[in-house]
């Protein structure tokens, strides 16, 4: 065990959707890694639930397959693997029926003193029936929590209904609305950068910052999730949660402590201060896009409609938004947000563009003085880059150029960061809600998103097509160029 790893309390993690993709790709590997790090106490159990009738041994086969597919072979250690598998129980129960619940209750009640974490890794339609059954079978103990996966509703009203149903059984301090972006090392480093350094915070305002770009770009298409995606689209799937959360952490005032409610109070103020986008300004402030066939990384790829197997669809696979925050700190500083599928690269970053210097003492031979930029990379290579102007080395006179002061966390610390789910699952067991969304945040996010969705519908705002492998439609470039600015990848 590494000296900095502190074991969590004895727990039962109940994963509804135990045979699903999320459990196989993320939850089981994350718990295995925490076991490997020595963070799980001997008594810790993982109880997986789905409708399928199968023995515990048969389910162990699923666990082993999941780990061999999603954990590096160099990290699969035989003794840890056996210890981990022995923690895993399986229970067949239907969220919408009574079968299997008595067995689950019996299993859980064998360790009533354990921290009990219910993880809803199932379709959100099942959140209400699952909560109801958990309540009916008396499974909520004082030390219980529930983790809700996105998406929480398709609009504000849907989110309210889901939250109301869950809220009948669990109180707000027991509800963990997960957004795995918040578990990323860089996101927490954003808070360290802002609030553990003297040098950034005085500059973190409209006097010194020209604009901020937040990009979450995927190079993959919708794959076999097209059916789900077509009912959602990029605004609901990525902006309502991940991008708005990144925006909040970038823009919020310093909380008085790094504690759940203090942080969430400040994020909430940002969500409430976002200027409304509706029928009057949606055409100017937002761009919708959908990928057509093209090529990504030199490989030809299909268009969205072919991926979907449909003749027609109005769903956006790309969105760009010019957002503004109406408060003293950020007045006049646009936040350009964009996300999309089948873009040129898989990259997520926050780019803080500082204003130009107020006066140059150098003559034209020095060349152009580029603005300072701070780039906070979330993926693929978590790290930060601060771009500063220096004199070009050598005897050739005072010529200036911008260079990156680059820090890659993997290179600097020599280890790859734990997956976001590892940290978040441990936070759930510890009962730390700092990196989870509170109900009023979710409501405020929908209050900003709903008018955009309504405006798109009301104005019949078109989707612009873009070839797979581009950075979105040309209308997205026009959105930012109208302000005399360019997206990061087009800057020199
Ligand atoms: P999935 O692969 O379709 O798995 C769904 C799981 O739910 C299966 O284990 C299924 O098992 C179980 N299930 C279905 N109906 C049930 C019922 N009536 N009672 C009990 N269990 C039932 O879905 P997923 O991709 O894992 O996603 C799960 C949730 O996480 C979704 O809300 C999704 O939006 C969200 N999410 C997924 C990912 C991801 O990477 N996959 C990422 C972020 C969020 P049986 O058929 O055996 O019952």
């Amino acid at each position: 065990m590494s000296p900095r790893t502190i074991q969590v309390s004895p727990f039962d993690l109940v994963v509804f959707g135990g045979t699903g993709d999320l459990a196989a790709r993320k939850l089981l590997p994350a718990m295995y890694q925490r076991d490997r790090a020595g963070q799980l106490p001997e008594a810790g159990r993982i109880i997986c639930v789905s409708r399928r009738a199968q023995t515990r041994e048969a389910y162990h086969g699923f666990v082993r397959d999941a780990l061999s597919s999603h954990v590096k072979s160099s990290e699969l250690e035989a003794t840890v693997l056996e210890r981990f598998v022995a923690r895993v129980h399986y229970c067949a129960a239907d969220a919408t029926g009574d079968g299997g619940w008595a067995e689950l209750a019996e299993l859980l009640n064998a360790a009533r003193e354990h921290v009990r974490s219910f993880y809803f890794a199932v379709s959100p339609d099942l959140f209400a029936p699952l909560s109801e059954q958990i309540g009916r079978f008396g499974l909520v103990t004082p030390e219980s929590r529930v983790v809700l996966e996105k998406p929480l509703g398709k609009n504000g009203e849907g989110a309210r209904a889901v939250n109301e149903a869950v809220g009948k059984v669990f109180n707000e301090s027991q509800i963990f609305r997960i957004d795995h972006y918040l578990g990323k090392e860089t996101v927490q480093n954003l808070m360290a950068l802002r609030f553990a350094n003297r040098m950034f915070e005085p500059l973190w305002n409209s006097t010194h910052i020209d604009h901020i770009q937040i990009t979450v770009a995927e190079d993959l298409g919708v794959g076999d999730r097209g059916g789900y995606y077509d009912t959602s689209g990029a605004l609901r799937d990525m902006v309502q949660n991940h991008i708005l959360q990144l925006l909040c952490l970038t823009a919020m005032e310093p909380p008085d402590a790094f504690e759940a409610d203090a942080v969430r109070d400040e994020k909430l103020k940002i969500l409430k201060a976002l200027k409304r986008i509706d029928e009057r300004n949606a055409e100017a402030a937002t761009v919708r896009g959908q990928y057509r066939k093209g090529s990504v990384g030199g490989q030809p790829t299909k268009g969205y409609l072919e991926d979907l197997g449909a003749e027609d669809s109005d769903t956006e696979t790309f969105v760009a938004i010019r957002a503004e925050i109406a408060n003293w700190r950020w007045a006049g500083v646009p936040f350009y947000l964009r996300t999309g599928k089948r873009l040129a690269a898989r990259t997520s970053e926050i780019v803080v563009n500082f204003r130009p210097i107020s006066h140059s003492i150098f003559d034209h031979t020095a060349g152009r003085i580029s603005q300072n930029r701070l780039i906070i990379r979330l993926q693929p290579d978590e790290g930060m880059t601060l771009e500063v102007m220096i004199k070009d080395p050598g005897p050739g006179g005072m010529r200036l150029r911008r260079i990156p002061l680059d820090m890659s966390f993997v290179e600097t610390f020599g280890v790859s960061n734990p997956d976001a789910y590892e940290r978040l699952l441990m936070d759930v067991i510890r009962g730390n809600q700092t990196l989870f969304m509170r109900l009023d945040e979710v409501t405020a996010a929908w209050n900003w998103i709903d008018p955009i969705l309504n405006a798109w519908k009301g104005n019949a705002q078109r989707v612009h097509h873009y070839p797979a492998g581009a950075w979105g439609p040309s209308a997205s470039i026009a959105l930012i160029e109208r302000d005399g600015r360019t997206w990061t990848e087009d800057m020199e």
Side-chain angles (χ1 to χ4, degrees):
M1 191 194 320
S2 100
R4 302 186 60 166
T5 303
I6 300 168
Q7 279 199 347
V8 291
S9 305
F11 66 90
D12 285 339
L13 173 67
V14 186
V15 180
F16 292 100
T19 53
D21 176 67
L22 185 66
R25 280 196 314 114
K26 293 291 180 186
L27 306 181
L28 292 167
M31 291 304 282
Y32 167 83
Q33 292 290 12
R34 288 298 88 205
D35 199 352
R36 186 167 161 257
Q39 203 165 9
L40 307 190
E42 207 181 321
R45 300 187 298 176
I46 300 165
I47 300 171
C48 295
V49 184
S50 82
R51 288 169 302 182
R52 226 160 294 180
Q54 59 180 322
T55 61
R56 187 175 174 197
E57 289 64 38
Y59 186 70
H60 282 173
F62 174 86
V63 176
R64 288 176 198 279
D65 287 349
L67 296 181
S68 65
S69 308
H70 302 293
V71 175
K72 282 188 207 142
S73 54
S74 59
E75 294 174 355
L76 275 179
E77 297 168 29
T79 45
V80 183
L81 184 61
E82 292 319 308
R83 183 173 76 213
F84 180 75
V85 168
R87 297 178 186 281
V88 180
H89 297 252
Y90 181 78
C91 197
D94 189 329
T96 57
D98 283 349
W101 285 90
E103 289 79 2
L104 177 61
E106 193 184 332
L107 194 57
L108 283 172
N109 289 337
R112 273 191 77 79
E113 71 292 354
H114 278 189
V115 168
R116 207 173 265 188
S117 303
F118 298 101
Y119 199 115
F120 289 3
V122 292
S123 152
D125 313 342
L126 296 176
F127 289 4
L130 272 180
S131 303
E132 210 177 301
Q133 291 298 66
I134 288 170
R136 229 158 56 79
F137 281 84
L139 302 185
V140 182
T141 56
E143 278 299 313
S144 284
R145 343 190 182 299
V146 63
V147 187
L148 307 183
E149 261 296 345
K150 69 156 203 180
L152 273 175
K154 286 210 161 26
N155 51 30
E157 209 177 298
R160 242 185 322 277
V162 172
N163 281 301
E164 218 172 272
V166 177
K168 283 187 186 146
V169 179
F170 296 94
N171 62 45
E172 185 60 29
S173 67
Q174 295 176 311
I175 303 176
F176 288 66
R177 297 176 190 83
I178 200 164
D179 182 334
H180 70 273
Y181 266 65
L182 299 190
K184 287 184 182 285
E185 192 75 12
T186 328
V187 171
Q188 288 165 77
N189 248 313
L190 175 59
M191 289 196 263
L193 182 89
R194 287 192 60 195
F195 304 129
N197 290 291
R198 183 84 208 187
M199 59 196 285
F200 292 107
E201 204 47 31
L203 304 179
W204 214 257
N205 54 52
S206 60
T207 309
H208 300 288
I209 291 178
D210 177 71
H211 74 281
I212 292 179
Q213 299 184 16
I214 302 180
T215 299
V216 177
E218 295 173 89
D219 54 357
L220 297 177
V222 289
D224 53 12
R225 296 177 73 85
Y228 153 74
Y229 193 87
D230 201 51
T231 64
S232 169
L235 186 68
R236 291 185 176 98
D237 194 46
M238 298 301 283
V239 181
Q240 189 272 339
N241 35 62
H242 305 319
I243 291 193
L244 284 186
Q245 287 293 317
L246 297 180
L247 170 80
C248 286
L249 293 171
T250 307
M252 71 182 185
E253 293 300 313
D256 61 318
F258 188 53
E259 282 169 5
D261 278 334
V263 171
R264 300 189 299 179
D265 287 346
E266 295 307 333
K267 288 197 295 169
L268 179 65
K269 285 184 204 158
I270 293 295
L271 290 166
K272 288 185 168 173
L274 279 168
K275 278 197 191 169
R276 186 178 166 92
I277 298 176
D278 57 22
E279 271 91 352
R280 293 164 305 137
N281 57 351
E283 287 276 4
T286 68
V287 171
R288 309 177 66 224
Q290 191 185 85
Y291 64 87
R292 287 292 185 255
K293 70 174 193 269
S295 117
V296 179
Q299 295 297 318
T301 55
K302 291 188 209 159
Y304 177 67
L305 295 180
E306 292 151 287
D307 277 346
L308 190 63
E311 296 270 291
D312 195 21
S313 166
D314 185 49
T315 300
E316 81 286 354
T317 61
F318 173 95
V319 61
I321 303 179
R322 183 189 190 282
E324 285 181 88
I325 299 170
N327 67 15
W328 272 55
R329 189 188 278 264
W330 296 115
V333 179
F335 284 71
Y336 299 99
L337 318 175
R338 68 182 167 160
T339 181
K341 292 199 176 285
R342 282 276 188 248
L343 298 184
R346 173 175 173 263
T347 158
S348 295
E349 60 186 22
I350 301 166
V351 183
V352 180
N353 291 269
F354 290 89
R355 287 191 186 280
I357 54 164
S358 45
H359 165 72
S360 173
I361 62 168
F362 305 102
D363 67 21
H364 69 279
T365 58
R368 196 166 84 81
I369 300 184
S370 305
Q371 291 158 244
N372 297 121
R373 284 195 302 185
L374 175 66
I375 302 168
I376 300 155
R377 281 189 312 275
L378 281 78
Q379 63 189 25
D381 169 27
E382 288 190 63
M384 291 183 199
T385 301
L386 180 63
E387 294 182 341
V388 294
M389 294 302 296
I390 59 150
K391 177 193 165 295
D392 222 351
M398 180 56 84
R399 273 198 295 272
L400 302 172
R401 75 163 146 142
R402 187 161 68 177
I403 57 134
L405 298 178
D406 202 5
M407 190 180 79
S408 148
F409 296 152
V410 176
E411 277 172 26
T412 307
F413 300 111
V415 287
S416 60
N417 291 316
D419 187 82
Y421 278 94
E422 290 181 45
R423 169 172 300 110
L424 294 173
L425 281 164
M426 293 302 102
D427 278 356
V428 170
I429 296 169
R430 288 192 205 102
N432 181 352
Q433 291 185 304
T434 310
L435 299 176
F436 296 82
M437 285 174 289
R438 205 169 56 191
L439 177 59
D440 49 8
E441 280 183 80
V442 176
T443 307
W446 278 118
N447 286 347
W448 190 68
I449 294 287
D450 274 346
I452 302 177
L453 287 167
N454 293 339
W456 285 355
K457 214 163 148 196
N459 296 343
Q461 190 168 324
R462 62 179 281 228
V463 288
H464 298 264
H465 297 153
Y466 60 94
W471 282 104
S474 52
S476 160
I477 297 168
L479 174 89
I480 194 166
E481 287 191 346
R482 274 202 296 278
D483 293 345
R485 301 184 176 101
T486 45
W487 290 111
T488 310
E489 69 279 1
D490 296 327
M491 295 179 190
E492 36 51 292

